Short mmCIF file of all heavy atoms in Angstrom, two decimals:
data_model
loop_
_atom_site.label_atom_id
_atom_site.label_comp_id
_atom_site.label_asym_id
_atom_site.label_seq_id
_atom_site.Cartn_x
_atom_site.Cartn_y
_atom_site.Cartn_z
N VAL Y 19 37.21 -55.79 -18.13
CA VAL Y 19 38.30 -56.34 -17.34
C VAL Y 19 38.05 -56.10 -15.87
O VAL Y 19 37.27 -55.21 -15.45
CB VAL Y 19 39.66 -55.70 -17.73
CG1 VAL Y 19 39.98 -56.02 -19.17
CG2 VAL Y 19 39.63 -54.20 -17.49
N SER Y 20 38.78 -56.91 -15.01
CA SER Y 20 38.74 -56.74 -13.57
C SER Y 20 40.16 -56.73 -13.07
O SER Y 20 40.95 -57.62 -13.42
CB SER Y 20 37.97 -57.88 -12.90
OG SER Y 20 36.59 -57.82 -13.26
N LEU Y 21 40.47 -55.74 -12.28
CA LEU Y 21 41.78 -55.60 -11.66
C LEU Y 21 41.65 -55.86 -10.18
O LEU Y 21 40.72 -55.33 -9.51
CB LEU Y 21 42.35 -54.18 -11.89
CG LEU Y 21 42.88 -53.81 -13.23
CD1 LEU Y 21 41.84 -53.90 -14.35
CD2 LEU Y 21 43.52 -52.40 -13.19
N SER Y 22 42.60 -56.61 -9.62
CA SER Y 22 42.47 -57.02 -8.24
C SER Y 22 43.46 -56.28 -7.31
O SER Y 22 44.58 -55.98 -7.73
CB SER Y 22 42.76 -58.54 -8.12
OG SER Y 22 42.83 -58.94 -6.80
N CYS Y 23 43.05 -56.04 -6.09
CA CYS Y 23 43.90 -55.46 -5.04
C CYS Y 23 43.61 -56.19 -3.77
O CYS Y 23 42.44 -56.21 -3.32
CB CYS Y 23 43.61 -53.97 -4.91
SG CYS Y 23 44.53 -53.10 -3.63
N ARG Y 24 44.59 -56.86 -3.20
CA ARG Y 24 44.39 -57.62 -1.97
C ARG Y 24 45.23 -57.03 -0.85
O ARG Y 24 46.41 -56.73 -1.03
CB ARG Y 24 44.82 -59.06 -2.21
CG ARG Y 24 44.68 -59.96 -1.00
CD ARG Y 24 44.72 -61.42 -1.36
NE ARG Y 24 43.54 -61.79 -2.13
CZ ARG Y 24 43.32 -63.02 -2.65
NH1 ARG Y 24 44.27 -63.94 -2.53
NH2 ARG Y 24 42.24 -63.29 -3.33
N ALA Y 25 44.57 -56.77 0.28
CA ALA Y 25 45.23 -56.19 1.44
C ALA Y 25 45.71 -57.26 2.37
O ALA Y 25 45.12 -58.32 2.52
CB ALA Y 25 44.28 -55.26 2.18
N SER Y 26 46.84 -56.99 3.06
CA SER Y 26 47.46 -57.99 3.97
C SER Y 26 46.69 -58.17 5.26
O SER Y 26 46.94 -59.08 6.04
CB SER Y 26 48.88 -57.57 4.25
OG SER Y 26 48.95 -56.27 4.84
N GLN Y 27 45.75 -57.24 5.54
CA GLN Y 27 44.84 -57.36 6.66
C GLN Y 27 43.55 -56.65 6.34
O GLN Y 27 43.51 -55.85 5.37
CB GLN Y 27 45.45 -56.81 7.94
CG GLN Y 27 45.73 -55.30 7.91
CD GLN Y 27 46.45 -54.85 9.14
OE1 GLN Y 27 47.66 -55.04 9.28
NE2 GLN Y 27 45.71 -54.22 10.03
N GLY Y 28 42.50 -56.90 7.10
CA GLY Y 28 41.24 -56.26 6.81
C GLY Y 28 41.26 -54.77 6.90
O GLY Y 28 41.81 -54.19 7.86
N ILE Y 29 40.70 -54.09 5.93
CA ILE Y 29 40.71 -52.60 5.88
C ILE Y 29 39.30 -52.05 5.63
O ILE Y 29 39.16 -50.93 5.12
CB ILE Y 29 41.71 -52.06 4.86
CG1 ILE Y 29 41.41 -52.56 3.48
CG2 ILE Y 29 43.16 -52.41 5.27
CD1 ILE Y 29 42.26 -51.89 2.36
N SER Y 30 38.29 -52.85 5.95
CA SER Y 30 36.91 -52.41 5.70
C SER Y 30 36.77 -52.01 4.26
O SER Y 30 37.09 -52.83 3.36
CB SER Y 30 36.57 -51.25 6.66
OG SER Y 30 35.23 -50.91 6.55
N THR Y 31 36.32 -50.80 3.99
CA THR Y 31 36.21 -50.34 2.57
C THR Y 31 37.14 -49.17 2.32
O THR Y 31 36.88 -48.35 1.40
CB THR Y 31 34.78 -49.96 2.23
OG1 THR Y 31 34.31 -48.95 3.13
CG2 THR Y 31 33.86 -51.18 2.29
N SER Y 32 38.21 -49.03 3.10
CA SER Y 32 39.13 -47.89 2.98
C SER Y 32 40.14 -48.06 1.87
O SER Y 32 41.36 -48.03 2.07
CB SER Y 32 39.81 -47.65 4.30
OG SER Y 32 38.85 -47.31 5.29
N ILE Y 33 39.64 -48.29 0.67
CA ILE Y 33 40.49 -48.47 -0.51
C ILE Y 33 40.05 -47.51 -1.60
O ILE Y 33 38.88 -47.23 -1.75
CB ILE Y 33 40.44 -49.91 -1.01
CG1 ILE Y 33 41.65 -50.28 -1.86
CG2 ILE Y 33 39.16 -50.18 -1.79
CD1 ILE Y 33 42.88 -50.60 -1.13
N HIS Y 34 41.05 -46.95 -2.30
CA HIS Y 34 40.77 -45.98 -3.37
C HIS Y 34 41.58 -46.41 -4.61
O HIS Y 34 42.68 -46.95 -4.51
CB HIS Y 34 41.18 -44.63 -2.89
CG HIS Y 34 40.77 -44.33 -1.47
ND1 HIS Y 34 39.45 -44.11 -1.10
CD2 HIS Y 34 41.47 -44.32 -0.30
CE1 HIS Y 34 39.40 -43.95 0.23
NE2 HIS Y 34 40.59 -44.07 0.71
N TRP Y 35 41.00 -46.07 -5.76
CA TRP Y 35 41.62 -46.47 -7.03
C TRP Y 35 41.97 -45.22 -7.86
O TRP Y 35 41.20 -44.27 -7.92
CB TRP Y 35 40.66 -47.34 -7.83
CG TRP Y 35 40.40 -48.67 -7.31
CD1 TRP Y 35 39.41 -49.08 -6.46
CD2 TRP Y 35 41.19 -49.85 -7.59
NE1 TRP Y 35 39.51 -50.41 -6.18
CE2 TRP Y 35 40.59 -50.92 -6.87
CE3 TRP Y 35 42.31 -50.16 -8.35
CZ2 TRP Y 35 41.08 -52.25 -6.92
CZ3 TRP Y 35 42.81 -51.46 -8.39
CH2 TRP Y 35 42.17 -52.48 -7.67
N TYR Y 36 43.17 -45.28 -8.49
CA TYR Y 36 43.68 -44.21 -9.29
C TYR Y 36 44.11 -44.69 -10.65
O TYR Y 36 44.56 -45.84 -10.79
CB TYR Y 36 44.90 -43.53 -8.63
CG TYR Y 36 44.64 -43.06 -7.22
CD1 TYR Y 36 44.85 -43.85 -6.13
CD2 TYR Y 36 44.17 -41.73 -7.02
CE1 TYR Y 36 44.60 -43.41 -4.87
CE2 TYR Y 36 43.92 -41.28 -5.73
CZ TYR Y 36 44.13 -42.13 -4.65
OH TYR Y 36 43.90 -41.70 -3.37
N GLN Y 37 43.99 -43.81 -11.62
CA GLN Y 37 44.52 -44.06 -12.95
C GLN Y 37 45.66 -43.09 -13.18
O GLN Y 37 45.53 -41.90 -12.87
CB GLN Y 37 43.46 -43.84 -14.00
CG GLN Y 37 43.90 -43.95 -15.47
CD GLN Y 37 42.87 -43.42 -16.41
OE1 GLN Y 37 42.46 -42.25 -16.34
NE2 GLN Y 37 42.42 -44.27 -17.34
N GLN Y 38 46.79 -43.60 -13.72
CA GLN Y 38 47.90 -42.71 -14.06
C GLN Y 38 48.32 -42.98 -15.49
O GLN Y 38 48.85 -44.04 -15.78
CB GLN Y 38 49.07 -42.85 -13.10
CG GLN Y 38 50.15 -41.79 -13.38
CD GLN Y 38 51.30 -41.85 -12.40
OE1 GLN Y 38 51.66 -42.90 -11.86
NE2 GLN Y 38 51.91 -40.69 -12.12
N LYS Y 39 48.13 -41.99 -16.32
CA LYS Y 39 48.61 -42.06 -17.69
C LYS Y 39 50.05 -41.59 -17.71
O LYS Y 39 50.52 -40.87 -16.82
CB LYS Y 39 47.74 -41.20 -18.61
CG LYS Y 39 46.31 -41.70 -18.67
CD LYS Y 39 45.45 -40.89 -19.60
CE LYS Y 39 44.01 -41.42 -19.65
NZ LYS Y 39 43.16 -40.62 -20.58
N SER Y 40 50.76 -41.97 -18.76
CA SER Y 40 52.17 -41.67 -18.87
C SER Y 40 52.43 -40.16 -18.76
O SER Y 40 51.77 -39.39 -19.43
CB SER Y 40 52.71 -42.22 -20.21
OG SER Y 40 54.08 -41.98 -20.29
#
Side-chain angles (χ1 to χ4, degrees):
Chain Y
V19 298
S20 293
L21 284 61
S22 172
C23 178
R24 179 164 292 177
S26 59
Q27 64 186 77
I29 58 171
S30 185
T31 57
S32 297
I33 200 80
H34 317 287
W35 290 94
Y36 303 90
Q37 176 192 58
Q38 187 176 31
K39 298 182 179 180
S40 183

